[in-house]
Structure formats: structure tokens, C-alpha cells
Amino acid sequence: MRPGLEALHLPAWSGASGPSWGPRGRNAMAHLDSDTKEECLREDLKFYFMNPCEKYRARHQIPWKLGLQILKIVMVTTQLVRFGLSNQMVVAFKEENTVAFKHLFLKGYSGTDEDDYSYSVYTQEDAYESIFFAINQYHQLKNISLGTLGYGENEDNRTGLKVCKQHYKKGAMFPSNDTLNIDSDIEVDCVHLDLSKDPQDWKNLSFFRLEFYRLLEVEISFRLKGIDLQTIHSRELPDCYVFQNTITFDNKAHSGKIKIYFDSDAKIEECKDLNISGSIQKNTQYVLVFDAFVIVICLASLILCTRSIVLALRLRKRFLNFFLEKYKRRVCNTDQWEFINGWYVLVIISDLMTIIGSILKMEIKAKNLTNYDLCSILLGTSTLFVWVGVIRYLGYFQAYNVLILTMQASLPKVLRFCACAGMIYLGYTFCGWIVLGPYHDKFEDLNTVAECLFSLVNGDDMFATFAQIQQKSVLVWLFSRLYLYSFISLFIYMILSLFIALITDSYDTIKKYQQNGFPETDLQEFLKECSSKEKYQKESSAFLSCVCCLRRKGSDDHLTLVN
């Protein structure tokens, strides 16, 4: 018999009937098995809550996940920078073409938009000249344009201009007699102007005899195609663009001022026939290989983090069952949430977004897809989450951990406070919009009002907000002073100060806990208990070591809950 079993005075086997246990022996063995389970669970819990360095010292476990996260940060950031430089050329090409179109098709365009529209006209002659100027410029585009532009087909697969006008069905107006007789039903008439006709012939069409007193809108739409050649300098395949351009003459106000809007919607399409010599194809292949490697890295990180969460949930279940069996009560919610590592959830979300974004980027690079916006959102957000995840490793140092603990402690209180302050903010937003909207540019719509008030909370642009109010109504001017003074005083001196006080209070609490110790929960008290009871410490030490080693040998895979 082994020395360990002799020391425990365990009975010998008596034939095929198995061991002959006495009552005392059975109780001792059951108690010993309970202590063994408790000690193994305590060791697993202690190991789970260790940082990567402590885990390496305890079991020589290499922090694979830490190394993988560092590599992923470098790879994802490099990928984002390369994509950002490529996307920057796309944005520049679109914006520069929009500016060029305004100068080409808008008569007398100064280079600067008036408010939210390009420019305006005030006479019938100017309106006619602006319409026919755009038509003439479109007709001779290839002779005057500096860009790589060509004519595109409209929705009905026809090349040329589409001109539509909206007007009231019929009516008569005599302002001098205060007389108005009009049918409010709106008619829409359209005409297609192809390139085969002389632009001078278009002027004689009855369609262009406009009755301005019932005219609402004239819209000129056309498509142009272009190729972005600047990507070749970066050794990338060029993009082919379709520009849907719309010139709108807005006369809905009938105020004697027609606002002219120019809108250009650029879409990237796959080039039908690309034949480019040089090293561009090789460079594209290298980028695709790099993106594929990023996907592999993120996929490995995703698998490891998912595995860690699953194993943590198993350990949590073991602890809950043991605690309920031994102490006859449930573990508090705070201790249960300790097993759910929020950093792993953040990494999983980041990995999923990076994988999807990288696949889209590869398709864009191969010119099979053109959705730059979705790819930018996915890669940008995933990189944000990757860098935020670095905070987790800084939290192992006490000086940095104060910041993380303060954010965790103050977040619930800050959210509740913002919900209450948000009600007051919305009240001021609606009030400012309805009262000051007709008299102040910054209060014309709800979105602008919200942005203006947020600027005031941060102390920005205060004097301009006070000064720009129109003094047409003394009552509204007095109300604006009361409105602005009360809002600034309430939010800057009271609400903002309370907001800072909440965070400061959480910081002071965390500092006191670090000096005097944090309040102990059931989980922390369980981890601090003695490793085994004193009366069994000597007689069962050898047997406990044997059992724990045997169990861990068969289940180390699910105890390695990683860094």
C-alpha cells in the first residue's frame, strides 16, 4: 500500500466485494473529497484572476494572447493608415470634381457657396441665362473641360440632359389688387435634350417659356463619367466614377430670389477594361496578402477570446454550485459579473469588425466592390476598440489602474445624471428653436440649435451668439437675453460642476480604497480562506497533491483561462 494511503488509515480491499469502509472512514473520505474540490476550485480561481506575468510565474504559461494583441495593434493600425491614404485620394477626387463642375455649369459662380446653396439670381433674364449656360456648357464639355470626363447615360439609358419643371396647374395673380386665383395642384413637365441638336434650337422650345408667378422649380440633371488617374502614382489600380449632377433652380418662396443648388453624387463603378503595364498588379497582390494575414491574426484572437469566455463561464458555474452547496446561499450579482471579462467582449467585437472590414477592403482593392464608407466605418471603429483594449494591460499598474477604476465606478452615476440633464437640455433646444429660429441663424433648425447649445456649454462662441440676434422685436430680444443667460448659468455653473463633482467623488473613493483596502465580497473572502483545515493538513497533504495533479493533468486545457 502507498505511504499516502497508509497515513490515512484506509481499509484494504476484501475480495470482489470492494473495500470495507467503516462509518468513520466513509465520513473522513467524504470530508477529504470536499476539501480537495474546494482547494482545487480556489487554485483555479486564483489562477484565473492573475495577470499574464503572474500566470507565467505560477505555471509557466506563455501569454499568447498578450503577444497576439500587440501584433494585432501593429497590423491593424498599418492597414488602417494605408486604407486612409487611399480613401483620402478618393475624397479629394470627388471634392475637386464637384468644385470643377460648379465652375463649369454655374454662370458667374464666385467659388464660394451662399449659405446652403451655390448662388442666387434676381431677374428673369439672369434665370434664363443661367439655365441655357448650363445646357451650352454640357454640349461642349469635351472642348472646355480639363478633366478626364465623358458623357454618361441617364436612368432611361439615354445620353444627354434631362430638364424638368414644377409649377402650379393654373392660376392668376394681381398683387396690386391683392387678388390671387391659383390651383394648388402641382404639375411636372420634363424634356430630354440629346447631343445631336444645336443648343440654339433648344431656346426656341415652348418648354422654356417660364411663367415665374406659378413656377416652383426647374431641375437639370445629367450624368458624367470620369477616371481617377492619381491612384497610379500610389501604385494602385484607378477607379472609374459616375457623377450624377443636378442643378436646381428653387422658386418655391416666390420672394424675387431664385436659389440655385448644385448637387453631385459620385459613385465608384468597376472599370470594364483595365490594361495597365508596370508594377501596379504586383503591389496590389502584396496588399491583398497583407490583408489576408490581418484576417488570420484577428481570427486567431477571436477564437482565443471566445474560448476564454466559455471557460470562464464554466468556472463561474463551478463556483456558483459549490457556494450554493456549502454555504446554502447564492453568490451576489457583483461576484457573478467578475467572471465576464468585458475586455474580451470588446476584443471579439473589434475582431469581427476588422475581419469584415478587411474582406471589404480586399474586394475594393480588387475593384469588385466600391463601398468605401462601410469599410471605413468598420476599420475605423475596430481600430478604436483595439487601442482602447490596451488600457486593460495598463490596468495591471496601480498608477494607471486608478483611471480605469474611476471610470468604472463613475459611469453608472454619470449616465443617470446625463439622463436628468438631458431633459433640461431638450427643453431649451425646443424653446430656442421655436422662439429664436426666425431671428437667429444658429436656431433655424433643431440640429443647429442642439449644436449651438453644446458649444455654449463648452464656452465656445458666446459673444457671437449674443450679437447675431436680430433686433426686429424688442420682446424677442429681451427673451433671448433671458434664455441665453439662464442656459449658460444653469449648465456651466451648476450642471457641469455637478458632473465634474461626480467623477471627483468616485476618484476620491477609489484612492481611499487603494489605501485602506477595497470592500471584500464573497468571492474575495473565499479566495483568502486557508488552503485547508488545520486538523487535516498533515495527514492529507500527500493525497491532496496526488489528486490535484491527476485532475489537473486531465483538465489543464479547460483551466488555462488565459491572460
Coordinates of all heavy atoms in Angstrom, one line a residue, residues 102-149:
K102 N -19.1 73.0 -60.6 CA -19.8 74.3 -60.3 C -19.2 75.4 -61.1 O -20.0 76.3 -61.6 CB -19.6 74.6 -58.8 CG -20.4 73.7 -57.8 CD -20.2 74.1 -56.4 CE -21.0 73.2 -55.5 NZ -20.9 73.6 -54.1
H103 N -17.9 75.4 -61.3 CA -17.3 76.5 -62.2 C -17.7 76.3 -63.7 O -17.8 77.2 -64.4 CB -15.8 76.5 -62.0 CG -15.4 77.2 -60.8 ND1 -15.3 78.5 -60.6 CD2 -15.0 76.6 -59.6 CE1 -14.8 78.8 -59.4 NE2 -14.6 77.7 -58.7
L104 N -17.9 75.0 -64.1 CA -18.2 74.7 -65.5 C -19.7 75.0 -65.8 O -20.0 75.6 -66.9 CB -18.0 73.3 -65.8 CG -16.5 72.8 -66.0 CD1 -16.4 71.3 -66.1 CD2 -16.0 73.5 -67.3
F105 N -20.6 74.7 -64.9 CA -22.0 74.7 -65.2 C -22.8 75.9 -64.6 O -24.0 76.1 -64.9 CB -22.7 73.4 -64.9 CG -22.1 72.2 -65.6 CD1 -21.3 71.3 -65.0 CD2 -22.3 72.1 -67.0 CE1 -20.7 70.3 -65.7 CE2 -21.8 71.0 -67.7 CZ -21.0 70.1 -67.0
L106 N -22.3 76.6 -63.6 CA -23.0 77.7 -63.0 C -22.4 79.0 -63.4 O -21.2 79.3 -63.2 CB -22.8 77.6 -61.4 CG -23.4 76.3 -60.8 CD1 -23.2 76.3 -59.3 CD2 -24.8 76.0 -61.2
K107 N -23.3 79.8 -64.1 CA -22.8 81.0 -64.7 C -22.5 82.0 -63.6 O -23.3 82.3 -62.7 CB -24.0 81.6 -65.5 CG -23.6 82.9 -66.2 CD -24.7 83.4 -67.1 CE -24.5 84.8 -67.7 NZ -23.2 84.8 -68.5
G108 N -21.3 82.6 -63.6 CA -20.9 83.6 -62.6 C -20.6 83.1 -61.2 O -20.7 83.8 -60.3
Y109 N -20.3 81.8 -61.1 CA -20.1 81.2 -59.8 C -18.8 81.8 -59.2 O -17.7 81.8 -59.9 CB -19.9 79.7 -59.9 CG -19.7 79.0 -58.6 CD1 -20.6 79.0 -57.5 CD2 -18.5 78.3 -58.3 CE1 -20.4 78.4 -56.3 CE2 -18.2 77.7 -57.1 CZ -19.2 77.7 -56.1 OH -18.9 77.1 -54.9
S110 N -18.9 82.3 -58.0 CA -17.7 83.0 -57.4 C -16.7 82.1 -56.7 O -15.6 82.6 -56.4 CB -18.3 84.0 -56.3 OG -18.9 83.3 -55.3
G111 N -17.0 80.8 -56.5 CA -16.1 79.9 -55.9 C -16.5 79.7 -54.4 O -15.9 78.8 -53.8
T112 N -17.4 80.4 -53.9 CA -17.9 80.3 -52.5 C -19.4 80.2 -52.5 O -20.1 81.0 -53.1 CB -17.5 81.5 -51.6 OG1 -16.0 81.6 -51.7 CG2 -17.9 81.2 -50.2
D113 N -19.9 79.2 -51.8 CA -21.4 79.0 -51.8 C -22.0 80.0 -50.9 O -21.4 80.5 -49.9 CB -21.7 77.6 -51.2 CG -21.4 76.5 -52.2 OD1 -21.1 76.8 -53.4 OD2 -21.5 75.3 -51.9
E114 N -23.3 80.4 -51.2 CA -24.0 81.3 -50.4 C -24.9 80.4 -49.4 O -25.8 79.8 -49.9 CB -25.0 82.2 -51.2 CG -24.2 83.1 -52.2 CD -25.2 83.9 -53.0 OE1 -26.4 84.0 -52.6 OE2 -24.8 84.5 -54.0
D115 N -24.5 80.4 -48.2 CA -25.2 79.6 -47.2 C -25.3 78.1 -47.7 O -24.2 77.5 -48.0 CB -26.7 80.1 -47.0 CG -27.3 79.7 -45.7 OD1 -26.5 79.1 -44.9 OD2 -28.4 80.0 -45.4
D116 N -26.5 77.5 -47.8 CA -26.5 76.1 -48.2 C -26.8 75.9 -49.7 O -27.0 74.8 -50.1 CB -27.6 75.4 -47.4 CG -29.0 76.0 -47.6 OD1 -29.0 77.2 -48.0 OD2 -30.0 75.3 -47.4
Y117 N -26.8 77.0 -50.4 CA -27.0 76.9 -51.9 C -25.8 77.6 -52.5 O -25.0 78.3 -51.9 CB -28.3 77.6 -52.3 CG -28.5 79.0 -51.8 CD1 -28.1 80.1 -52.5 CD2 -29.1 79.2 -50.5 CE1 -28.3 81.4 -52.0 CE2 -29.3 80.5 -50.0 CZ -28.9 81.5 -50.8 OH -29.1 82.8 -50.3
S118 N -25.6 77.4 -53.8 CA -24.4 77.8 -54.5 C -24.5 79.3 -54.8 O -23.5 80.1 -54.5 CB -24.3 77.1 -55.9 OG -24.1 75.7 -55.6
Y119 N -25.5 79.8 -55.4 CA -25.7 81.3 -55.6 C -27.1 81.5 -56.0 O -28.0 80.6 -56.0 CB -24.7 81.8 -56.7 CG -25.0 81.5 -58.1 CD1 -25.5 82.5 -59.0 CD2 -24.9 80.2 -58.6 CE1 -25.8 82.2 -60.3 CE2 -25.2 79.9 -59.9 CZ -25.6 80.9 -60.8 OH -26.0 80.6 -62.1
S120 N -27.5 82.8 -56.2 CA -28.9 83.1 -56.5 C -29.0 84.1 -57.6 O -28.0 84.8 -57.9 CB -29.6 83.6 -55.2 OG -28.8 84.7 -54.7
V121 N -30.2 84.2 -58.2 CA -30.4 85.2 -59.3 C -31.7 86.0 -58.9 O -32.5 85.4 -58.2 CB -30.6 84.5 -60.7 CG1 -29.3 83.9 -61.1 CG2 -31.7 83.5 -60.6
Y122 N -31.8 87.2 -59.5 CA -32.9 88.1 -59.1 C -33.7 88.6 -60.2 O -34.7 89.3 -60.0 CB -32.4 89.2 -58.2 CG -31.6 88.8 -57.0 CD1 -30.3 88.5 -57.0 CD2 -32.3 88.6 -55.8 CE1 -29.6 88.1 -55.9 CE2 -31.7 88.2 -54.6 CZ -30.3 87.9 -54.7 OH -29.7 87.5 -53.6
T123 N -33.4 88.3 -61.5 CA -34.1 88.7 -62.6 C -34.5 87.6 -63.5 O -33.8 86.5 -63.5 CB -33.3 89.8 -63.4 OG1 -32.2 89.2 -64.0 CG2 -33.0 91.0 -62.5
Q124 N -35.5 87.7 -64.4 CA -35.9 86.7 -65.3 C -34.8 86.5 -66.3 O -34.5 85.3 -66.7 CB -37.2 87.1 -66.0 CG -38.4 87.1 -65.1 CD -39.7 87.4 -65.9 OE1 -39.7 87.3 -67.1 NE2 -40.7 87.8 -65.1
E125 N -34.1 87.5 -66.7 CA -33.0 87.4 -67.7 C -31.9 86.6 -67.1 O -31.3 85.7 -67.8 CB -32.5 88.8 -68.1 CG -31.4 88.7 -69.2 CD -30.9 90.1 -69.5 OE1 -31.4 91.1 -69.0 OE2 -30.0 90.2 -70.3
D126 N -31.5 86.8 -65.9 CA -30.5 86.0 -65.3 C -30.9 84.6 -65.1 O -30.0 83.7 -65.3 CB -30.1 86.6 -63.9 CG -29.4 87.9 -64.0 OD1 -28.8 88.2 -65.1 OD2 -29.4 88.7 -63.0
A127 N -32.1 84.3 -64.8 CA -32.6 82.9 -64.7 C -32.5 82.2 -66.0 O -32.0 81.1 -66.1 CB -34.0 82.9 -64.2
Y128 N -33.0 82.8 -67.1 CA -32.8 82.2 -68.4 C -31.4 82.0 -68.8 O -31.0 80.9 -69.3 CB -33.5 83.1 -69.5 CG -35.0 82.9 -69.5 CD1 -35.9 84.0 -69.3 CD2 -35.6 81.7 -69.9 CE1 -37.3 83.8 -69.3 CE2 -37.0 81.5 -69.9 CZ -37.8 82.6 -69.6 OH -39.2 82.5 -69.7
E129 N -30.6 83.0 -68.6 CA -29.1 82.9 -69.0 C -28.4 81.7 -68.2 O -27.6 81.0 -68.7 CB -28.4 84.2 -68.7 CG -28.8 85.3 -69.7 CD -28.0 86.5 -69.5 OE1 -27.3 86.6 -68.5 OE2 -28.2 87.5 -70.3
S130 N -28.8 81.6 -66.9 CA -28.2 80.5 -66.1 C -28.6 79.1 -66.6 O -27.8 78.2 -66.6 CB -28.6 80.7 -64.6 OG -28.1 81.9 -64.1
I131 N -29.9 79.0 -67.0 CA -30.4 77.7 -67.5 C -29.7 77.3 -68.8 O -29.1 76.2 -69.0 CB -31.9 77.7 -67.7 CG1 -32.6 77.8 -66.3 CG2 -32.4 76.5 -68.4 CD1 -34.1 78.1 -66.4
F132 N -29.6 78.3 -69.8 CA -29.0 78.0 -71.0 C -27.5 77.9 -71.0 O -26.9 77.3 -71.8 CB -29.5 79.0 -72.1 CG -30.9 78.8 -72.4 CD1 -31.9 79.8 -72.1 CD2 -31.4 77.7 -73.1 CE1 -33.2 79.7 -72.4 CE2 -32.7 77.5 -73.4 CZ -33.7 78.5 -73.1
F133 N -26.9 78.6 -70.0 CA -25.5 78.5 -69.9 C -25.1 77.1 -69.5 O -24.1 76.5 -70.0 CB -25.0 79.5 -68.8 CG -23.5 79.4 -68.5 CD1 -22.6 80.0 -69.3 CD2 -23.0 78.6 -67.4 CE1 -21.2 80.0 -69.0 CE2 -21.7 78.6 -67.1 CZ -20.8 79.2 -67.9
A134 N -25.8 76.5 -68.6 CA -25.5 75.1 -68.2 C -25.7 74.1 -69.3 O -24.9 73.2 -69.5 CB -26.4 74.7 -67.0
I135 N -26.8 74.4 -70.1 CA -27.0 73.5 -71.3 C -25.9 73.6 -72.3 O -25.4 72.6 -72.9 CB -28.4 73.8 -71.9 CG1 -29.5 73.5 -70.9 CG2 -28.6 73.1 -73.2 CD1 -30.9 74.0 -71.4
N136 N -25.5 74.8 -72.6 CA -24.4 75.0 -73.6 C -23.1 74.4 -73.1 O -22.3 73.8 -73.9 CB -24.2 76.5 -73.8 CG -25.3 77.1 -74.6 OD1 -26.0 76.5 -75.4 ND2 -25.6 78.4 -74.4
Q137 N -22.8 74.6 -71.8 CA -21.5 74.0 -71.3 C -21.5 72.5 -71.4 O -20.5 71.9 -71.6 CB -21.4 74.5 -69.8 CG -21.1 76.0 -69.6 CD -19.7 76.4 -70.2 OE1 -19.6 76.9 -71.3 NE2 -18.7 76.2 -69.4
Y138 N -22.7 71.9 -71.1 CA -22.8 70.4 -71.2 C -22.5 70.0 -72.6 O -21.8 69.0 -72.9 CB -24.1 70.0 -70.7 CG -24.4 68.5 -70.9 CD1 -23.9 67.6 -69.9 CD2 -25.1 68.0 -72.0 CE1 -24.1 66.2 -70.1 CE2 -25.3 66.6 -72.1 CZ -24.8 65.8 -71.2 OH -25.0 64.4 -71.3
H139 N -23.0 70.8 -73.6 CA -22.9 70.4 -75.0 C -21.5 70.4 -75.5 O -21.0 69.6 -76.3 CB -23.8 71.3 -75.9 CG -23.9 70.9 -77.3 ND1 -23.0 71.3 -78.3 CD2 -24.7 70.0 -77.9 CE1 -23.3 70.7 -79.4 NE2 -24.4 69.9 -79.3
Q140 N -20.7 71.4 -75.0 CA -19.3 71.5 -75.5 C -18.3 71.1 -74.3 O -17.2 71.6 -74.3 CB -19.0 72.9 -75.9 CG -19.4 74.0 -75.0 CD -19.2 75.4 -75.6 OE1 -18.4 75.6 -76.5 NE2 -20.0 76.3 -75.0
L141 N -18.7 70.1 -73.5 CA -17.9 69.8 -72.4 C -16.5 69.3 -72.7 O -15.5 69.6 -72.1 CB -18.7 68.7 -71.6 CG -17.9 68.1 -70.3 CD1 -17.8 69.2 -69.3 CD2 -18.7 66.9 -69.7
K142 N -16.4 68.4 -73.8 CA -15.1 67.8 -74.1 C -14.1 68.8 -74.6 O -12.9 68.6 -74.6 CB -15.4 66.7 -75.2 CG -16.1 65.5 -74.6 CD -16.2 64.4 -75.7 CE -16.8 63.2 -75.1 NZ -16.9 62.1 -76.1
N143 N -14.6 70.0 -75.1 CA -13.8 71.0 -75.6 C -13.3 72.0 -74.5 O -12.3 72.7 -74.8 CB -14.5 71.8 -76.7 CG -14.9 70.9 -77.9 OD1 -14.1 70.0 -78.2 ND2 -16.0 71.2 -78.5
I144 N -14.0 72.0 -73.4 CA -13.6 73.0 -72.4 C -13.1 72.4 -71.1 O -12.4 73.1 -70.3 CB -14.8 73.9 -72.1 CG1 -16.0 73.1 -71.6 CG2 -15.2 74.7 -73.3 CD1 -17.2 74.0 -71.2
S145 N -13.4 71.2 -70.8 CA -13.1 70.6 -69.5 C -11.6 70.2 -69.5 O -11.0 69.7 -70.5 CB -13.9 69.4 -69.3 OG -13.5 68.7 -68.1
L146 N -11.0 70.3 -68.3 CA -9.6 69.9 -68.1 C -9.5 68.5 -67.6 O -8.4 67.9 -67.5 CB -8.9 70.9 -67.1 CG -8.8 72.3 -67.5 CD1 -8.2 73.1 -66.4 CD2 -7.9 72.4 -68.7
G147 N -10.6 67.9 -67.1 CA -10.6 66.6 -66.5 C -10.8 65.5 -67.5 O -11.1 65.7 -68.7
T148 N -10.7 64.3 -67.0 CA -10.9 63.1 -67.8 C -12.4 62.7 -67.7 O -12.8 61.8 -67.1 CB -10.0 61.9 -67.3 OG1 -10.3 61.7 -65.9 CG2 -8.6 62.2 -67.5
L149 N -13.2 63.5 -68.4 CA -14.7 63.3 -68.3 C -15.3 62.9 -69.6 O -14.8 63.2 -70.7 CB -15.3 64.7 -67.9 CG -14.9 65.2 -66.5 CD1 -15.5 66.6 -66.3 CD2 -15.4 64.3 -65.4

